[in-house]
Amino acid sequence: MSAASTPSRALRGRLWRLLSRLASLKLTLAILVLLAVGVVAAYLSDTRTVWALVLPLTLCAINLMAAIASNGIFRRQLPLLVFHLCLLALIVLVALGRMTYLKGQLELTDGTWFEGQLSAVEAGPWHFGRLDQVRFASDGFRIDYDPGMRRGPTRNAVRFLDASGAVGQAVIGDQTPLTLCGYRFYTSHNKGFAPTFAWTPAGGAGSVTGSVHLPAYPLHEYRQARNWRLPESGIEAWTMLQFDGALIDPERADEFKLPAEHVLVLRVGDRRWTLQPGQYVVLPGGRLTYQGLRAWMGYTVFYDWTIPWLLAAAVSATVALGWHFWRKFASQPWDGVEVPDGDGNA
Amino acid sequence: MLEAQQLWAAVLAYVLAGSGAIFGVVLRRNWQRLILGLMVLGLACHTASIVVRWDRLGHGPFITMFEILSSNVWSLMLAFTIAYWRLPAIRPSAAVVMPILFLMMGWLLMTSPKAGHFPPTYHTTWLFIHIGFGKVFLGAVLVAVGLSGVVLMRATVWGRDRFQRLPADGRLDELAYRCMALGFIFETLMLIAGAIWAQDAWGRYWAWDPLETWAFVTWLTLAFALHARATSRLSPQAASWLVVAVFVIAFLTFFGVPFVSTSPHKGAV
Ligand code: HEM
């Protein structure tokens, strides 16, 4: 035996012992308990407790890798190996998904295009998506209400630019998202009225059209007003929508609709106007025309490229486990439990 | 109303069957055929009641507490009746299982049968798939808990005497383990189907809402129980306590959480 091989063998022996220790099945049980405790702690806690899940999942991945590498049972039982490999894949995919996902919200006035801006966004540090290339427009929506103002199905007609740049059309809503560049856009329960204005600066430059999204309707039925700022001029304005009666009849089946008649109250400083569509007011720096009322729809957007892979791993895990148990139990039938005397009861 | 009469008839048949099972064990009588007959009769009446209501409201029993309890009593009774029919040797475990179902029936009869609102996100086949898998899962764990209950009661003098003729603890434990394995597969499928539905319905496949959280904790507990049994030498008693723990957590998840939370999962959108 050469002098060089002795330390390397000792080292290998030490590494193997470490691997076996990391692969301990008692550790697996402890990790499962730790994970359950972590889940409950994260659920009950108000503060961010990501570590309560990250720590046990990391330990679980190490434990799994060590066991797959060193435990002979995985060589002898293929289904068990496939199941645990799928579990490992699930942990890795969830981790990658958390690093690259995006979740956000946006509101869109009927007839206008989404151009990549979200009103709220939350994303993993490695999210490098192509949201800025996504284009779609809402062409209006219908929402049914059951008696008692219980919201029914939402159908939102949308136009979008597909990968080749051609305009496509679809109806989305509830369970049917619009999927573009991997981003899934869902209609939300947030929707309302959008008074639309044209602002024409005094200097003769072209006018700008924009909408004010009033608070969600019918959620904020009695708060149909808000402050906003005119483009560039910095003028503060306040707008309120007024109409008679309930738009959605609580007594019968009805649907979301724009008011047949309404007036719009506009206040700038201590001046106040009531406007009908087509009327305008002259303000310092330009002219503001009330063009009319439209609706806005709130959307949530979700991006996670791991979804199909997660599904594949989860289904494969279940099939492999079914296979494992099938092999394990097939050798002895379920009713193989002996009965002492025929139909014997105690 | 016809559907209420059918439900009362079903509960009466179940109660008679369950009482027969309990007194059969206590008095050492063999009324198994009669008990099986009553269970089947109860299931027939209960099925009719659910069908009549479904037809009247135009949706299945998934919305209100009344509907969820009713459909679960039905599916648990169905699961246990199949086990009772196919595995004659374990029939006396009905004396453990039926009191659990009595509890649910009492609760069911105290809840209001008023119709609820069918949320838009429930218009999907994933609802049926998700709920169907969940019912198989809970049914399998119920059978396991009956067997484990026998093992645990046999640790007492009274129980050893009453449940003497059932197969040995080791065999009961093996059967309970098989039910748990079956339950684990179906709970996994339930979670997968639920995630697919949640992705479609709420734009996220998992968000740790109270039901998702507790369903995952149940899944972990079940994984723990199976792992512990496969990797270390557990006594039938210890394994039985694990089965009971899984059942308690699963039961609280199914029937406790939906009624204390207003998360979208409950349908309150
Ligand atoms: C959430 C994580 C896990 C779940 C849900 C899980 C689930 C399972 C299941 C259901 C079985 C089959 C038991 C049976 O045949 O009755 C099993 C067996 C096994 N698992 Fe896991 N497991 C997990 C994590 C791990 C980890 C981290 C390890 C690494 C040590 C591991 C190692 C094993 C081994 C060696 C067996 C074979 C046991 C035997 O039949 O003797 N598992 N696991």
Side-chain angles (χ1 to χ4, degrees), chain A residues 25 28 63-64 67 80 83-84 87 324-325 328, chain B residues 177 223 227 230:
Chain A
L25 292 171
T28 311
N63 184 222
L64 261 173
L80 208 57
F83 171 72
H84 287 83
L87 281 183
H324 167 72
F325 284 133
K328 197 162 176 173
Chain B
Y177 161 61
H227 238 256

Side-chain angles (χ1 to χ4, degrees), chain A residues 175 186 328 332 340-341 346, chain B residues 121 162 165 167 177-178 199:
Chain A
Q175 348 259 1
Y186 294 83
K328 197 162 176 173
Q332 207 207 1
D341 59 2
Chain B
T121 47
R162 295 298 184 294
R165 293 255 189 116
Y177 161 61
R178 289 181 174 207
Q199 180 62 56

Side-chain angles (χ1 to χ4, degrees), chain A residues 22-25 28 31-32 35 60 63-64 67 71 73-74 77 80 83-84 87 321 324-325 328, chain B residues 177 184 219-220 223 226-227 230-231:
Chain A
L22 286 176
S24 152
L25 292 171
T28 311
I31 288 169
L32 289 175
L35 186 55
C60 191
N63 184 222
L64 261 173
N71 194 325
I73 195 163
F74 292 122
Q77 300 199 20
L80 208 57
F83 171 72
H84 287 83
L87 281 183
L321 194 62
H324 167 72
F325 284 133
K328 197 162 176 173
Chain B
Y177 161 61
F184 189 62
W219 186 84
L220 283 176
L226 287 176
H227 238 256
T231 59

Side-chain angles (χ1 to χ4, degrees), chain B residues 9-70:
Chain B
V11 170
L12 186 67
Y14 294 153
V15 169
L16 286 175
S19 310
I22 296 165
F23 285 109
V25 164
V26 174
L27 306 174
R28 299 185 178 81
R29 291 288 158 82
N30 183 351
W31 294 321
Q32 290 178 6
R33 271 177 216 289
L34 179 67
I35 293 169
L36 182 59
L38 282 166
M39 284 175 165
V40 173
L41 178 70
L43 273 170
C45 295
H46 199 166
T47 308
S49 169
I50 289 176
V51 168
V52 169
R53 185 181 172 94
W54 194 319
D55 183 53
R56 179 169 68 84
L57 298 179
H59 65 72
F62 328 115
I63 310 296
T64 62
M65 186 171 182
F66 175 84
E67 290 168 355
I68 293 172
L69 280 169
S70 174

Side-chain angles (χ1 to χ4, degrees), chain A residues 258-337:
Chain A
L258 296 178
E261 287 181 13
H262 70 274
V263 289
L264 194 82
V265 179
L266 177 72
R267 207 170 60 199
V268 175
D270 47 11
R271 298 181 67 191
R272 188 177 187 278
W273 301 267
T274 52
L275 300 175
Q276 292 288 340
Q279 293 183 324
Y280 64 87
V281 297
V282 177
L283 296 170
R287 193 175 71 179
L288 185 68
T289 310
Y290 174 48
Q291 293 191 318
L293 196 61
R294 299 193 208 174
W296 63 265
M297 171 53 80
Y299 298 85
T300 56
V301 52
F302 186 68
Y303 172 94
D304 188 342
W305 62 271
T306 63
I307 290 178
W309 299 103
L310 281 172
L311 182 62
V315 171
S316 309
T318 318
V319 171
L321 194 62
W323 178 18
H324 167 72
F325 284 133
W326 184 269
R327 283 204 333 189
K328 197 162 176 173
F329 300 152
S331 57
Q332 207 207 1
W334 286 58
D335 58 358
V337 182

